[in-house]
Amino acid sequence: MANMDPYKVLEEARPMLDAVLAQAGLVAPGEPLDLDSLRAPFSQWLQAQTVAREDLGFFVGLVGAFISQYLLDTADASVQVDGERIKVRVPFPGGTERQFDPYAAASSLILNKASVADFLASVCA
């Protein structure tokens, strides 16, 4: 997400997901996104993709947006800008929280061909 305005990235996350998930055939165009039910299909779709070096930025943006929006929708998370970085905070009972950069996580998941579904399950555990 280098040289991107983090506020613009957050503003465009949901519309980008709407468009790309429809283009990928994971949802019908115009259908409201249920990211919880899309967690496994999106993860499987992503793992089936061959990500060329020149496409890495797009996929990092897509997966980072999915992680952020998924946690906002399902885990009562908050997303904030910390300097030039985007941070997701996931609260847990007892006042603890987990905080991380969803775009850095996305980059690692893509480069390692790891499961987004498994990652999200571990974040919420």
Side-chain angles (χ1 to χ4, degrees), residues 31 33-42 66 70 74:
E31 179 180 304
L33 294 182
D34 176 356
L35 296 179
D36 196 26
S37 69
L38 286 169
R39 185 180 77 182
F42 174 74
F66 190 91
Y70 176 89
T74 65

Side-chain angles (χ1 to χ4, degrees), residues 42-43 46-47 51 56 59-60 63-64 66-67 100-120 122-123:
F42 174 74
S43 185
L46 181 66
Q47 287 183 300
V51 179
L56 183 61
F59 280 97
V60 167
V63 174
F66 190 91
I67 291 169
F100 65 96
D101 177 337
Y103 295 90
S107 179
S108 176
L109 290 167
I110 293 163
L111 292 172
N112 293 305
K113 283 285 211 187
S115 167
V116 173
D118 291 350
F119 171 77
L120 288 169
S122 73
V123 167

Side-chain angles (χ1 to χ4, degrees), residues 23 71 83 97 107-108:
Q23 289 172 353
L71 293 171
E97 69 180 20
S107 179
S108 176

